[in-house]
Amino acid sequence: MKRIFVLLMSALPLMPISAQTDNRKSAIEECQRLYADGKYATALTVIKNIDTSVLDATTRQEAELVKALVMFENNHLEGRSLILQYLADYPESAKKELLYCHVAESYYLSGNYGLACEWFEKSNMKRLAHEQRNRAKLYYALSLLECGNNENATDMLREIAISSKKYALDALFHTAVIDYDNNRLDEAENTFNSIEPGEKYSLEKEYYIAGIALKRGNTEQAEEIARKFIDENDDEAGNIRMHQILGATEYAKGNYADAAARLEYYICNSKEPQRIARYQLGMCLFNQGIYDEAEKMLATCIEEDDAITQSALLHTGIIKLKSNDRNAARMAFGTSIRGCLSC
């Protein structure tokens, strides 16, 4: 039976090479349309089935470009690899400005913010289409924020909020976060409250609204927001953050055991737990007499020259005294005092 099948197949007429090429070109054009419409998964399926090795040089370059762009939207790491190879093969590509920005965006998403900034700086963003430019500027601003360049990042975000329809909400949200971090609470609250239920960032904003209440000393409101959020949402990341809020409210009330449980849950489930949460957990452990664990946690909070560091060192000194390690206690007290005098 197998022999008959082979013979039948061999009897079928072969498709002319020109027809095969035309089909591949049509598939590339279809992929380009899907990419333009934002249908990235479908576009990737189409482009993966195209054998580019038999195409002429111009068409092959076109196919490799759309494949790199589509792959980037589906998987930024694999896309970055294809883009870098494309740039190596076609360094004078007319799309190089966009490709530089995609590489930069991928480095931002990977947490390599310095390298992201370097790649953004390679691109002449003025040559990008309007919303392509706004997208690039958004990720550039976020990269600058991570590198500590808050002023330039804020200016960029404010420009995007005015000029972009597609990325205005992203820019507004991150501007509000900057205001929150800098204790411009009224400005932050107004912006967060402008985000409607169901919109992008509508869940994330609740954490900051609760945080604003906490910063203003309204622990009851902060606790109410956090408990309601946990009861009504299955958002895992949001619930983890709300445990920090509840830990802070319990800490403010002096309920150290409950506060410690909340804060420990938050810290253990966060990639980058906030320093204030680590400090509060250390103090909860200290106030419960769990000195070894308190000392370890407080040691994670002394990287900056501020009141948190001074308090952490002071309580570390007290722990050392309780264990009769007077030399270590003297060093901790001395460092704490010097830090206080320098403020």
Side-chain angles (χ1 to χ4, degrees), residues 9-30:
M9 289 295 292
S10 65
L12 293 173
L14 295 175
M15 183 181 293
I17 297 296
S18 60
Q20 295 179 40
T21 302
D22 289 342
N23 286 342
R24 292 188 181 99
K25 287 184 176 180
S26 296
I28 293 168
E29 291 172 359
E30 175 63 14

Side-chain angles (χ1 to χ4, degrees), residues 219-286:
T219 56
E220 290 184 4
Q221 182 185 3
E223 183 176 355
E224 180 182 352
I225 294 170
R227 290 190 184 280
K228 182 180 179 183
F229 185 96
I230 292 172
D231 289 343
E232 296 180 356
N233 294 282
D234 294 326
D235 181 58
E236 183 179 1
N239 287 338
I240 290 169
R241 289 193 294 268
M242 287 305 188
H243 276 283
Q244 181 200 359
I245 296 292
L246 292 175
T249 61
E250 295 296 340
Y251 176 79
K253 292 187 286 187
N255 298 333
Y256 298 120
D258 290 342
R262 298 282 189 181
L263 292 166
E264 187 172 9
Y265 176 83
Y266 161 73
I267 290 169
C268 290
N269 289 282
S270 299
K271 291 182 179 179
E272 296 182 10
Q274 290 192 13
R275 181 169 170 248
I276 184 62
R278 289 181 271 126
Y279 168 76
Q280 288 173 343
L281 177 56
M283 292 302 300
C284 287
L285 295 168
F286 176 88

Side-chain angles (χ1 to χ4, degrees), residues 207-224:
Y207 166 76
Y208 291 101
I209 295 295
I212 288 169
L214 195 61
K215 285 188 174 190
R216 288 171 172 164
N218 194 338
T219 56
E220 290 184 4
Q221 182 185 3
E223 183 176 355
E224 180 182 352

